[in-house]
Amino acid sequence: MSEMETMPYANEEALVSRMMEAVQLAQGQAALEEKERLKEDPDTAPSGNLDDACWRIIRLGWRCGRVAAAGRRTVRIAGRVAVIAAVLVVMLSIAFATPGLAPLIRGALDKWNITTYKDHTQVQGRIDNGVDEEYLDKDGNLRIDHFTLVPGWLPKGFVLKETGLDESICWLIYHLPRQQAKNIFISMSNMSGSTTSFDTENADVSYMTIQDNEATVISKKENGVEYNTVVWFMDGLTAMVQVSNEGVSIADTIKIAENLHVVWED
Amino acid sequence: MLSFVLPMLATVEDRDFVTAIYGEFRTLMLATARRYVPDRGAAEDVVQDSLVKLIRHADLLQRMNRCTLASYIVSTVRNTAIDRLRGDAAERRYLLPLELEKLCLTPSPEESVEETAQKREDLERMRTVWPRLEEEQRLLLEGKYLLDQTDTELASRLGCKQDSVRMKLTRARRRVLELLREGGVPDE
Protein backbone atom coordinates (compact mmCIF):
# COMPACT_ATOMS: atom_id res chain seq x y z
CA MET A 1 0.00 0.00 0.00
CA SER A 2 1.36 3.42 -0.95
CA GLU A 3 1.32 6.47 1.29
CA MET A 4 -1.47 7.98 -0.80
CA GLU A 5 -3.71 4.92 -0.65
CA THR A 6 -3.65 4.82 3.12
CA MET A 7 -3.79 8.58 3.57
CA PRO A 8 -6.39 9.74 6.11
CA TYR A 9 -8.13 12.95 5.02
CA ALA A 10 -6.58 14.86 7.91
CA ASN A 11 -3.13 14.20 6.48
CA GLU A 12 -3.94 15.29 2.95
CA GLU A 13 -3.04 18.86 3.71
CA ALA A 14 0.22 17.88 5.35
CA LEU A 15 1.31 15.83 2.35
CA VAL A 16 0.36 18.43 -0.25
CA SER A 17 1.95 21.14 1.88
CA ARG A 18 5.17 19.11 2.02
CA MET A 19 5.12 18.60 -1.74
CA MET A 20 4.55 22.30 -2.39
CA GLU A 21 7.37 23.11 0.02
CA ALA A 22 9.67 21.06 -2.19
CA VAL A 23 8.37 22.98 -5.21
CA GLN A 24 9.04 26.25 -3.43
CA LEU A 25 12.58 25.23 -2.57
CA ALA A 26 13.32 24.11 -6.13
CA GLN A 27 11.80 27.27 -7.60
CA GLY A 28 13.81 29.41 -5.19
CA GLN A 29 17.04 27.69 -6.11
CA ALA A 30 16.29 28.10 -9.81
CA ALA A 31 15.43 31.78 -9.29
CA LEU A 32 18.66 32.51 -7.47
CA GLU A 33 20.66 30.77 -10.20
CA GLU A 34 18.84 32.68 -12.91
CA LYS A 35 19.43 35.94 -11.06
CA GLU A 36 23.17 35.30 -11.18
CA ARG A 37 23.04 34.40 -14.89
CA LEU A 38 21.12 37.58 -15.71
CA LYS A 39 23.91 39.67 -14.24
CA GLU A 40 26.04 38.63 -17.19
CA ASP A 41 23.51 39.92 -19.72
CA PRO A 42 23.15 43.71 -19.66
CA ASP A 43 20.31 43.57 -22.20
CA THR A 44 18.02 42.10 -19.57
CA ALA A 45 18.37 45.02 -17.16
CA PRO A 46 15.24 47.10 -16.50
CA SER A 47 15.00 50.47 -18.21
CA GLY A 48 15.60 53.69 -16.35
CA ASN A 49 11.89 54.43 -16.67
CA LEU A 50 10.93 51.21 -14.92
CA ASP A 51 13.44 51.84 -12.16
CA ASP A 52 12.15 55.39 -11.70
CA ALA A 53 8.57 54.15 -11.53
CA CYS A 54 9.47 51.48 -8.98
CA TRP A 55 11.43 53.85 -6.77
CA ARG A 56 8.37 56.12 -6.81
CA ILE A 57 6.16 53.23 -5.73
CA ILE A 58 8.49 52.51 -2.83
CA ARG A 59 8.56 56.18 -1.87
CA LEU A 60 4.77 56.31 -2.09
CA GLY A 61 4.52 53.26 0.14
CA TRP A 62 6.81 54.87 2.67
CA ARG A 63 4.89 58.13 2.72
CA CYS A 64 1.56 56.33 2.92
CA GLY A 65 2.84 54.40 5.90
CA ARG A 66 3.66 57.62 7.70
CA VAL A 67 0.34 59.24 6.84
CA ALA A 68 -1.46 56.20 8.21
CA ALA A 69 0.67 56.32 11.34
CA ALA A 70 -0.11 60.00 11.83
CA GLY A 71 -3.82 59.27 11.53
CA ARG A 72 -4.65 62.83 10.61
CA ARG A 73 -4.37 65.15 7.72
CA THR A 74 -1.54 67.29 8.98
CA VAL A 75 1.75 65.47 8.96
CA ARG A 76 4.75 66.88 10.75
CA ILE A 77 7.93 66.15 8.87
CA ALA A 78 11.33 67.25 10.10
CA GLY A 79 9.73 69.61 12.59
CA ARG A 80 7.64 71.35 10.03
CA VAL A 81 3.97 71.08 9.24
CA ALA A 82 3.49 69.64 5.83
CA VAL A 83 1.27 71.18 3.28
CA ILE A 84 -2.10 69.59 3.25
CA ALA A 85 -4.74 70.12 0.69
CA ALA A 86 -6.29 73.48 1.23
CA VAL A 87 -8.21 73.23 -1.88
CA LEU A 88 -10.86 74.57 -4.04
CA VAL A 89 -12.96 71.95 -5.69
CA VAL A 90 -14.06 73.26 -8.97
CA MET A 91 -16.60 71.82 -11.26
CA LEU A 92 -16.38 73.56 -14.56
CA SER A 93 -19.33 73.73 -16.81
CA ILE A 94 -20.98 75.89 -19.35
CA ALA A 95 -22.49 77.65 -16.35
CA PHE A 96 -19.16 79.43 -16.10
CA ALA A 97 -19.97 81.19 -19.32
CA THR A 98 -22.36 83.32 -17.31
CA PRO A 99 -20.60 85.79 -14.99
CA GLY A 100 -21.57 85.41 -11.34
CA LEU A 101 -22.52 81.75 -11.44
CA ALA A 102 -19.19 80.38 -10.29
CA PRO A 103 -18.20 81.67 -6.85
CA LEU A 104 -15.21 79.38 -6.65
CA ILE A 105 -13.77 80.67 -9.83
CA ARG A 106 -14.56 84.22 -8.88
CA GLY A 107 -12.65 83.77 -5.65
CA ALA A 108 -9.68 82.40 -7.48
CA LEU A 109 -9.53 85.00 -10.17
CA ASP A 110 -6.54 86.71 -8.59
CA LYS A 111 -4.55 83.51 -9.11
CA TRP A 112 -6.04 81.98 -12.20
CA ASN A 113 -6.97 83.10 -15.65
CA ILE A 114 -10.17 81.29 -16.52
CA THR A 115 -11.79 81.37 -19.90
CA THR A 116 -15.01 79.59 -20.73
CA TYR A 117 -15.75 78.47 -24.24
CA LYS A 118 -18.78 76.72 -25.68
CA ASP A 119 -17.51 73.19 -25.17
CA HIS A 120 -14.68 73.54 -22.65
CA THR A 121 -13.24 75.72 -19.92
CA GLN A 122 -9.61 76.72 -19.85
CA VAL A 123 -7.68 77.41 -16.65
CA GLN A 124 -4.28 79.05 -16.62
CA GLY A 125 -2.15 79.60 -13.55
CA ARG A 126 -0.52 83.00 -13.27
CA ILE A 127 3.21 83.02 -12.81
CA ASP A 128 3.07 85.82 -10.21
CA ASN A 129 0.81 83.78 -7.98
CA GLY A 130 2.38 84.39 -4.60
CA VAL A 131 3.79 80.90 -4.28
CA ASP A 132 5.48 80.03 -1.01
CA GLU A 133 9.16 79.96 -1.88
CA GLU A 134 9.95 76.90 0.19
CA TYR A 135 8.15 74.81 -2.41
CA LEU A 136 10.20 76.15 -5.30
CA ASP A 137 13.54 75.02 -6.66
CA LYS A 138 16.39 77.40 -7.43
CA ASP A 139 14.90 78.12 -10.84
CA GLY A 140 11.57 79.09 -9.35
CA ASN A 141 9.75 75.92 -10.42
CA LEU A 142 7.39 74.10 -8.08
CA ARG A 143 9.09 70.98 -6.72
CA ILE A 144 6.28 68.67 -7.74
CA ASP A 145 8.39 65.60 -7.00
CA HIS A 146 8.35 66.48 -3.29
CA PHE A 147 4.59 66.08 -3.09
CA THR A 148 2.78 62.81 -2.67
CA LEU A 149 -0.91 62.20 -3.08
CA VAL A 150 -2.29 59.76 -0.54
CA PRO A 151 -5.91 58.70 -0.83
CA GLY A 152 -7.41 58.04 2.58
CA TRP A 153 -10.43 56.35 1.09
CA LEU A 154 -11.32 54.66 -2.17
CA PRO A 155 -14.40 52.68 -3.20
CA LYS A 156 -14.13 48.98 -2.37
CA GLY A 157 -12.08 46.87 -4.72
CA PHE A 158 -9.99 49.59 -6.35
CA VAL A 159 -6.28 48.87 -6.51
CA LEU A 160 -3.32 50.95 -7.54
CA LYS A 161 -2.63 50.55 -11.25
CA GLU A 162 -0.07 53.22 -11.96
CA THR A 163 1.95 56.00 -10.40
CA GLY A 164 3.66 58.66 -12.41
CA LEU A 165 5.70 61.80 -12.19
CA ASP A 166 7.16 64.24 -14.64
CA GLU A 167 8.28 67.84 -14.40
CA SER A 168 4.81 69.30 -13.97
CA ILE A 169 2.50 66.59 -12.67
CA CYS A 170 2.39 63.62 -10.34
CA TRP A 171 -0.46 61.15 -10.58
CA LEU A 172 -2.02 57.93 -9.35
CA ILE A 173 -4.39 55.70 -11.26
CA TYR A 174 -6.58 53.18 -9.50
CA HIS A 175 -8.78 50.66 -11.24
CA LEU A 176 -11.08 47.76 -10.61
CA PRO A 177 -9.29 44.67 -11.89
CA ARG A 178 -11.02 43.15 -14.90
CA GLN A 179 -13.40 46.13 -15.25
CA GLN A 180 -12.01 48.47 -17.86
CA ALA A 181 -14.63 51.21 -17.48
CA LYS A 182 -13.86 51.86 -13.82
CA ASN A 183 -10.88 54.11 -13.24
CA ILE A 184 -9.94 56.80 -10.76
CA PHE A 185 -7.31 59.33 -11.75
CA ILE A 186 -5.80 61.55 -9.06
CA SER A 187 -3.23 64.15 -9.98
CA MET A 188 -1.46 67.26 -8.83
CA SER A 189 -0.23 69.66 -11.50
CA ASN A 190 2.11 72.59 -11.44
CA MET A 191 -0.01 75.27 -13.06
CA SER A 192 2.52 78.08 -13.04
CA GLY A 193 2.14 79.64 -16.45
CA SER A 194 0.56 76.50 -17.87
CA THR A 195 -2.95 75.86 -19.13
CA THR A 196 -5.42 73.05 -18.57
CA SER A 197 -8.73 72.55 -20.33
CA PHE A 198 -11.80 70.71 -19.08
CA ASP A 199 -14.59 69.28 -21.15
CA THR A 200 -17.53 71.17 -19.69
CA GLU A 201 -20.11 70.83 -22.39
CA ASN A 202 -23.48 69.75 -20.99
CA ALA A 203 -22.01 69.08 -17.55
CA ASP A 204 -24.00 69.42 -14.30
CA VAL A 205 -22.55 71.74 -11.67
CA SER A 206 -23.02 72.00 -7.91
CA TYR A 207 -21.08 73.63 -5.07
CA MET A 208 -20.16 72.40 -1.63
CA THR A 209 -17.49 72.51 1.08
CA ILE A 210 -14.68 70.00 1.14
CA GLN A 211 -11.93 70.11 3.74
CA ASP A 212 -13.11 73.60 4.77
CA ASN A 213 -12.77 74.89 1.27
CA GLU A 214 -15.35 76.06 -1.17
CA ALA A 215 -15.88 73.33 -3.66
CA THR A 216 -17.73 72.67 -6.84
CA VAL A 217 -18.77 69.30 -8.15
CA ILE A 218 -19.21 68.56 -11.84
CA SER A 219 -20.79 65.56 -13.44
CA LYS A 220 -21.21 64.49 -17.00
CA LYS A 221 -22.74 61.45 -18.63
CA GLU A 222 -21.68 60.21 -22.00
CA ASN A 223 -22.72 56.97 -23.67
CA GLY A 224 -24.15 55.74 -20.38
CA VAL A 225 -20.90 56.23 -18.47
CA GLU A 226 -20.71 58.76 -15.64
CA TYR A 227 -17.67 61.03 -15.56
CA ASN A 228 -16.92 63.16 -12.51
CA THR A 229 -14.09 65.62 -12.04
CA VAL A 230 -13.00 67.42 -8.91
CA VAL A 231 -10.26 70.04 -8.96
CA TRP A 232 -8.39 71.59 -6.06
CA PHE A 233 -6.46 74.82 -6.43
CA MET A 234 -3.96 74.65 -3.63
CA ASP A 235 -3.60 77.58 -1.32
CA GLY A 236 -0.19 79.22 -1.58
CA LEU A 237 0.83 77.17 -4.57
CA THR A 238 0.31 77.44 -8.26
CA ALA A 239 -0.83 73.86 -8.19
CA MET A 240 -4.02 72.06 -8.99
CA VAL A 241 -5.13 68.74 -7.60
CA GLN A 242 -7.65 66.82 -9.62
CA VAL A 243 -9.73 63.73 -8.97
CA SER A 244 -11.47 62.45 -12.03
CA ASN A 245 -12.98 59.14 -12.83
CA GLU A 246 -15.26 57.14 -15.03
CA GLY A 247 -17.96 54.87 -13.77
CA VAL A 248 -17.71 56.06 -10.17
CA SER A 249 -20.60 57.93 -8.53
CA ILE A 250 -20.51 61.60 -7.51
CA ALA A 251 -20.92 60.59 -3.88
CA ASP A 252 -17.83 58.39 -4.04
CA THR A 253 -15.91 61.05 -5.94
CA ILE A 254 -16.63 63.57 -3.21
CA LYS A 255 -15.64 61.08 -0.54
CA ILE A 256 -12.32 60.52 -2.29
CA ALA A 257 -11.83 64.30 -2.36
CA GLU A 258 -12.69 64.69 1.32
CA ASN A 259 -10.16 62.06 2.29
CA LEU A 260 -7.29 62.93 -0.01
CA HIS A 261 -4.00 63.87 1.64
CA VAL A 262 -1.40 65.96 -0.12
CA VAL A 263 1.88 65.37 1.66
CA TRP A 264 4.95 67.55 1.34
CA GLU A 265 8.41 66.28 2.14
CA ASP A 266 11.48 68.44 1.82
CA MET B 1 -8.50 51.79 5.79
CA LEU B 2 -5.35 52.92 4.06
CA SER B 3 -3.92 49.46 4.13
CA PHE B 4 -6.69 48.26 1.86
CA VAL B 5 -6.08 50.77 -0.86
CA LEU B 6 -2.41 51.60 -0.73
CA PRO B 7 0.93 49.91 -0.67
CA MET B 8 2.21 50.84 2.77
CA LEU B 9 5.64 50.62 4.35
CA ALA B 10 5.20 51.04 8.07
CA THR B 11 8.81 51.32 9.20
CA VAL B 12 12.22 52.42 7.98
CA GLU B 13 13.24 48.76 8.06
CA ASP B 14 10.36 47.86 5.73
CA ARG B 15 11.31 50.63 3.33
CA ASP B 16 15.00 49.74 3.30
CA PHE B 17 14.20 46.05 2.90
CA VAL B 18 11.90 46.60 -0.09
CA THR B 19 14.43 48.97 -1.63
CA ALA B 20 17.12 46.32 -1.25
CA ILE B 21 15.10 43.46 -2.69
CA TYR B 22 13.96 45.54 -5.66
CA GLY B 23 17.58 46.48 -6.32
CA GLU B 24 18.66 42.87 -6.13
CA PHE B 25 15.79 41.13 -7.90
CA ARG B 26 14.66 43.75 -10.43
CA THR B 27 16.30 42.06 -13.41
CA LEU B 28 14.88 38.68 -12.43
CA MET B 29 11.44 40.23 -11.96
CA LEU B 30 11.49 41.72 -15.44
CA ALA B 31 12.84 38.50 -17.01
CA THR B 32 10.07 36.52 -15.29
CA ALA B 33 7.39 38.97 -16.43
CA ARG B 34 8.63 38.85 -20.02
CA ARG B 35 8.31 35.08 -20.06
CA TYR B 36 4.54 35.57 -19.75
CA VAL B 37 3.95 39.01 -21.22
CA PRO B 38 5.91 39.41 -24.47
CA ASP B 39 5.49 43.17 -24.78
CA ARG B 40 8.24 44.91 -22.84
CA GLY B 41 6.05 47.84 -21.77
CA ALA B 42 3.35 45.49 -20.48
CA ALA B 43 6.02 43.41 -18.73
CA GLU B 44 7.27 46.54 -16.99
CA ASP B 45 3.70 47.20 -15.82
CA VAL B 46 3.64 43.69 -14.38
CA VAL B 47 6.87 44.41 -12.49
CA GLN B 48 5.34 47.57 -11.00
CA ASP B 49 2.15 45.75 -9.99
CA SER B 50 4.26 42.99 -8.49
CA LEU B 51 6.27 45.50 -6.49
CA VAL B 52 3.04 46.89 -5.02
CA LYS B 53 2.13 43.36 -3.92
CA LEU B 54 5.57 42.80 -2.42
CA ILE B 55 5.26 46.05 -0.48
CA ARG B 56 1.97 44.84 0.96
CA HIS B 57 3.77 41.78 2.30
CA ALA B 58 7.03 43.43 3.34
CA ASP B 59 6.65 42.14 6.87
CA LEU B 60 6.23 38.55 5.70
CA LEU B 61 9.12 38.76 3.24
CA GLN B 62 11.55 39.84 5.93
CA ARG B 63 11.00 36.58 7.76
CA MET B 64 11.85 34.43 4.73
CA ASN B 65 15.17 32.81 3.94
CA ARG B 66 16.72 33.79 0.62
CA CYS B 67 15.54 30.75 -1.27
CA THR B 68 11.94 31.15 -0.14
CA LEU B 69 12.12 34.88 -0.83
CA ALA B 70 13.36 34.30 -4.39
CA SER B 71 10.58 31.76 -4.95
CA TYR B 72 7.99 34.16 -3.54
CA ILE B 73 9.13 36.99 -5.80
CA VAL B 74 9.02 34.79 -8.91
CA SER B 75 5.57 33.46 -7.97
CA THR B 76 4.31 36.99 -7.35
CA VAL B 77 5.47 38.19 -10.75
CA ARG B 78 4.13 35.11 -12.52
CA ASN B 79 0.72 35.38 -10.85
CA THR B 80 0.52 39.10 -11.54
CA ALA B 81 1.24 38.40 -15.20
CA ILE B 82 -1.31 35.58 -15.26
CA ASP B 83 -3.98 37.81 -13.69
CA ARG B 84 -3.28 40.35 -16.39
CA LEU B 85 -3.51 37.75 -19.13
CA ARG B 86 -6.68 36.21 -17.75
CA GLY B 87 -8.44 39.53 -18.25
CA ASP B 88 -7.58 39.58 -21.94
CA ALA B 89 -8.96 36.74 -24.05
CA ALA B 90 -6.61 37.54 -26.94
CA GLU B 91 -3.62 37.15 -24.67
CA ARG B 92 -4.65 33.88 -23.04
CA ARG B 93 -2.46 31.89 -25.39
CA TYR B 94 0.50 33.15 -23.39
CA LEU B 95 -0.91 31.70 -20.18
CA LEU B 96 1.63 29.21 -18.98
CA PRO B 97 1.44 27.36 -15.69
CA LEU B 98 4.32 27.05 -13.28
CA GLU B 99 6.70 24.72 -15.11
CA LEU B 100 7.82 22.10 -12.64
CA GLU B 101 9.57 19.87 -15.16
CA LYS B 102 12.50 22.28 -15.34
CA LEU B 103 12.97 22.42 -11.59
CA CYS B 104 15.40 20.29 -9.68
CA LEU B 105 16.71 20.32 -6.13
CA THR B 106 20.29 20.93 -5.12
CA PRO B 107 21.22 19.26 -1.82
CA SER B 108 21.62 21.70 1.04
CA PRO B 109 24.61 21.29 3.39
CA GLU B 110 22.26 21.62 6.37
CA GLU B 111 20.12 18.68 5.27
CA SER B 112 20.66 14.99 5.76
CA VAL B 113 20.74 12.68 2.76
CA GLU B 114 17.33 11.34 3.80
CA GLU B 115 15.81 14.80 3.97
CA THR B 116 17.11 15.69 0.51
CA ALA B 117 15.81 12.41 -0.89
CA GLN B 118 12.39 13.06 0.64
CA LYS B 119 12.20 16.53 -0.88
CA ARG B 120 13.26 15.26 -4.28
CA GLU B 121 10.59 12.62 -4.14
CA ASP B 122 7.96 15.18 -3.10
CA LEU B 123 9.03 17.41 -6.00
CA GLU B 124 8.85 14.48 -8.39
CA ARG B 125 5.37 13.61 -7.18
CA MET B 126 4.09 17.13 -7.69
CA ARG B 127 5.83 17.30 -11.06
CA THR B 128 3.85 14.25 -12.10
CA VAL B 129 0.43 15.62 -11.25
CA TRP B 130 0.89 19.36 -11.82
CA PRO B 131 0.15 19.46 -15.58
CA ARG B 132 -3.00 17.39 -15.02
CA LEU B 133 -4.54 19.80 -12.52
CA GLU B 134 -7.02 22.42 -13.68
CA GLU B 135 -5.71 25.96 -14.04
CA GLU B 136 -7.77 27.14 -11.08
CA GLN B 137 -6.40 24.33 -8.91
CA ARG B 138 -2.83 25.26 -9.78
CA LEU B 139 -3.53 28.91 -8.98
CA LEU B 140 -5.06 27.90 -5.67
CA LEU B 141 -2.18 25.66 -4.64
CA GLU B 142 0.46 28.15 -5.69
CA GLY B 143 -1.40 30.98 -3.98
CA LYS B 144 -1.91 29.01 -0.79
CA TYR B 145 1.48 27.35 -0.42
CA LEU B 146 3.96 29.52 -2.32
CA LEU B 147 2.45 32.96 -1.81
CA ASP B 148 0.88 32.38 1.59
CA GLN B 149 -2.30 34.07 0.40
CA THR B 150 -5.29 34.24 2.71
CA ASP B 151 -8.69 32.82 1.83
CA THR B 152 -9.84 36.38 1.24
CA GLU B 153 -7.05 37.04 -1.25
CA LEU B 154 -7.64 33.75 -3.01
CA ALA B 155 -11.38 34.43 -3.18
CA SER B 156 -10.68 37.80 -4.72
CA ARG B 157 -8.41 36.30 -7.38
CA LEU B 158 -10.83 33.54 -8.26
CA GLY B 159 -13.91 35.70 -8.06
CA CYS B 160 -15.66 33.42 -5.59
CA LYS B 161 -16.86 33.54 -2.00
CA GLN B 162 -14.39 33.11 0.82
CA ASP B 163 -16.19 30.01 2.05
CA SER B 164 -15.86 28.45 -1.38
CA VAL B 165 -12.08 28.77 -1.25
CA ARG B 166 -11.76 26.16 1.50
CA MET B 167 -13.88 23.73 -0.46
CA LYS B 168 -11.95 24.36 -3.64
CA LEU B 169 -8.67 23.88 -1.81
CA THR B 170 -9.85 20.62 -0.32
CA ARG B 171 -10.87 19.43 -3.76
CA ALA B 172 -7.55 20.50 -5.24
CA ARG B 173 -5.62 18.60 -2.58
CA ARG B 174 -7.76 15.50 -3.07
CA ARG B 175 -7.31 15.77 -6.81
CA VAL B 176 -3.55 15.77 -6.27
CA LEU B 177 -3.83 12.57 -4.26
CA GLU B 178 -6.20 10.97 -6.77
CA LEU B 179 -3.78 11.68 -9.61
CA LEU B 180 -0.92 10.29 -7.60
CA ARG B 181 -2.87 7.10 -6.98
CA GLU B 182 -3.86 6.86 -10.63
CA GLY B 183 -0.27 7.41 -11.65
CA GLY B 184 0.88 4.58 -9.44
CA VAL B 185 3.55 6.58 -7.73
CA PRO B 186 5.62 4.06 -5.78
CA ASP B 187 5.55 3.76 -2.05
CA GLU B 188 8.23 5.60 -0.10
Side-chain angles (χ1 to χ4, degrees), chain A residues 187-235:
Chain A
S187 70
M188 176 176 172
S189 313
N190 176 11
M191 291 291 292
S192 179
S194 63
T195 301
T196 294
S197 294
F198 297 90
D199 175 8
T200 54
E201 191 174 24
N202 298 323
D204 294 327
V205 181
S206 59
Y207 303 105
M208 62 181 301
T209 299
I210 291 182
Q211 297 192 26
D212 299 326
N213 294 281
E214 288 181 87
T216 310
V217 182
I218 303 169
S219 181
K220 180 167 178 163
K221 276 190 180 172
E222 215 168 57
N223 299 322
V225 180
E226 189 174 347
Y227 298 89
N228 297 298
T229 299
V230 181
V231 184
W232 288 254
F233 292 107
M234 293 193 64
D235 189 25

Side-chain angles (χ1 to χ4, degrees), chain B:
Chain B
M1 191 60 199
L2 285 169
S3 62
F4 292 104
V5 297
L6 294 165
M8 264 200 320
L9 294 166
T11 66
V12 175
E13 289 75 23
D14 289 346
R15 181 196 63 187
D16 292 348
F17 176 77
V18 171
T19 301
I21 62 166
Y22 175 71
E24 182 178 358
F25 288 96
R26 52 200 262 286
T27 306
L28 178 66
M29 290 171 74
L30 181 60
T32 305
R34 294 201 71 181
R35 217 168 279 145
Y36 296 87
V37 184
D39 176 70
R40 187 177 178 107
E44 292 190 353
D45 287 347
V46 167
V47 172
Q48 291 183 54
D49 290 347
S50 302
L51 180 63
V52 170
K53 291 176 182 174
L54 295 177
I55 287 174
R56 289 187 200 283
H57 295 98
D59 187 47
L60 170 71
L61 302 186
Q62 288 176 78
R63 299 196 299 270
M64 293 178 173
N65 64 42
R66 285 188 58 72
C67 199
T68 307
L69 175 64
S71 175
Y72 190 97
I73 290 171
V74 166
S75 278
T76 297
V77 175
R78 178 174 51 249
N79 280 273
T80 303
I82 286 172
D83 286 347
R84 186 185 182 95
L85 294 175
R86 289 170 84 200
D88 186 342
E91 302 272 330
R92 284 182 67 86
R93 64 184 184 279
Y94 297 116
L95 249 176
L96 302 171
L98 167 61
E99 296 174 272
L100 298 191
E101 65 270 19
K102 293 179 182 172
L103 297 180
C104 59
L105 275 169
T106 306
S108 163
E110 293 92 40
E111 285 177 351
S112 67
V113 175
E114 291 76 18
E115 284 172 327
T116 301
Q118 176 69 69
K119 284 180 178 167
R120 282 181 168 162
E121 184 165 353
D122 287 339
L123 176 63
E124 183 57 36
R125 284 171 164 168
M126 194 53 93
R127 203 197 317 264
T128 306
V129 303
W130 193 255
R132 298 168 66 191
L133 293 172
E134 293 172 10
E135 179 191 329
E136 183 180 88
Q137 291 173 327
R138 287 194 294 259
L139 285 177
L140 267 173
L141 292 174
E142 188 175 5
K144 174 75 176 174
Y145 294 105
L146 302 194
L147 290 170
D148 205 24
Q149 289 178 327
T150 63
D151 288 354
T152 307
E153 290 171 314
L154 291 169
S156 173
R157 283 196 73 199
L158 298 179
C160 67
K161 291 181 180 174
Q162 195 173 323
D163 289 344
S164 304
V165 168
R166 291 174 201 162
M167 180 58 69
K168 285 173 183 285
L169 265 172
T170 300
R171 286 178 184 156
R173 284 192 287 260
R174 287 186 183 166
R175 181 64 181 147
V176 168
L177 299 183
E178 283 170 14
L179 289 170
L180 285 173
R181 289 175 185 131
E182 288 172 14
V185 175
D187 203 351
E188 293 187 303

Side-chain angles (χ1 to χ4, degrees), chain A residues 28-231:
Chain A
Q29 288 180 351
L32 290 172
E33 287 168 11
E34 185 182 2
K35 181 170 76 70
E36 293 307 309
R37 280 198 306 275
L38 290 169
K39 283 182 183 172
E40 310 298 321
D41 183 359
D43 291 341
T44 60
S47 66
N49 286 343
L50 175 58
D51 280 342
D52 288 347
C54 287
W55 298 133
R56 277 200 302 276
I57 289 171
I58 293 171
R59 189 173 62 187
L60 175 68
W62 170 234
R63 289 181 180 178
C64 290
R66 284 184 299 165
V67 169
R72 53 197 164 91
R73 291 205 177 89
T74 304
V75 181
R76 195 169 288 277
I77 300 168
R80 189 175 59 188
V81 177
V83 174
I84 297 302
V87 294
L88 209 56
V89 178
V90 181
M91 286 291 285
L92 303 168
S93 80
I94 53 173
F96 295 156
T98 308
L101 286 185
L104 292 179
I105 294 297
R106 196 171 56 232
L109 277 179
D110 58 331
K111 297 180 179 179
W112 310 92
N113 292 321
I114 297 166
T115 312
T116 303
Y117 299 93
K118 182 182 176 186
D119 59 352
H120 72 282
T121 300
Q122 186 173 289
V123 180
Q124 182 179 34
R126 293 181 179 174
I127 297 173
D128 55 344
N129 198 352
V131 176
D132 191 331
E133 289 187 1
E134 70 179 319
Y135 305 118
L136 304 179
D137 64 18
K138 59 182 171 53
D139 297 320
N141 298 314
L142 188 69
R143 296 191 289 173
I144 198 82
D145 59 323
H146 287 253
F147 289 91
T148 303
L149 302 169
V150 182
W153 181 87
L154 288 175
K156 190 177 179 184
F158 278 84
V159 296
L160 185 64
K161 178 184 179 186
E162 181 182 324
T163 68
L165 172 73
D166 66 19
E167 289 177 355
S168 62
I169 183 171
C170 58
W171 70 89
L172 305 169
I173 299 176
Y174 288 85
H175 74 139
L176 273 182
R178 292 190 278 279
Q179 288 194 40
Q180 294 192 352
K182 298 259 186 184
N183 291 291
I184 298 171
F185 178 74
I186 303 171
S187 70
M188 176 176 172
S189 313
N190 176 11
M191 291 291 292
S192 179
S194 63
T195 301
T196 294
S197 294
F198 297 90
D199 175 8
T200 54
E201 191 174 24
N202 298 323
D204 294 327
V205 181
S206 59
Y207 303 105
M208 62 181 301
T209 299
I210 291 182
Q211 297 192 26
D212 299 326
N213 294 281
E214 288 181 87
T216 310
V217 182
I218 303 169
S219 181
K220 180 167 178 163
K221 276 190 180 172
E222 215 168 57
N223 299 322
V225 180
E226 189 174 347
Y227 298 89
N228 297 298
T229 299
V230 181
V231 184

